Amino acid sequence: MTGPTRRERLKPLELVAMAGVLAVFTGGIALAATRELDLAAVFAGVAFIAALLVLAMLALAAGDGAASTLDGPVLDRYDGPPAPPVAPPIEPSTPPATQEPVAEAPPEGPRSAQDPDDR
């Protein structure tokens, strides 16, 4: 088994160098536009971090073609046929609950004059 090649070992340095070049360019443009060294340094720092982040994500997404299929994305793998569906559990049957008859209210007739609700 051989170790990583020189190109593979220098790949991170290439990404940092590209981010650095972009940061220097952004800092130079900011310095030329504002003539403030502090503001140009902030712009250069933000550009360096953003460029490094984007380049690293692109390098991860691209990957290398020599990787085995097990090292690839999880969603692209085929692990065999899907598992059979699971049937829902069967609940024991219970007899329907018996309902007691509800007593009906007596029909309302004419109210008497002494009914306290007539006030």
Side-chain angles (χ1 to χ4, degrees):
M1 180 174 199
T2 63
T5 64
R6 183 176 182 182
R7 179 174 172 83
E8 290 171 347
R9 285 183 296 174
L10 293 179
K11 185 70 172 175
L13 184 62
E14 291 175 8
L15 295 176
V16 171
M18 283 191 281
V21 168
L22 184 64
V24 168
F25 177 75
T26 304
I29 296 295
L31 182 63
T34 63
R35 303 271 189 227
E36 293 183 22
L37 188 59
D38 295 342
L39 188 61
V42 169
F43 272 87
V46 169
F48 176 75
I49 292 171
L52 193 60
L53 180 70
V54 169
L55 289 172
M57 293 300 289
L58 289 174
L60 281 175
D64 56 352
S68 69
T69 57
L70 294 178
D71 292 337
V74 174
L75 295 178
D76 291 342
R77 293 184 192 164
Y78 177 72
D79 294 330
V86 177
I90 299 173
E91 296 181 18
S93 61
T94 57
T98 58
Q99 294 182 355
E100 297 181 13
V102 179
E104 293 185 22
E108 288 193 32
R111 293 186 171 197
S112 65
Q114 297 173 354
D115 194 8
D117 293 334
D118 287 344
R119 294 183 200 172

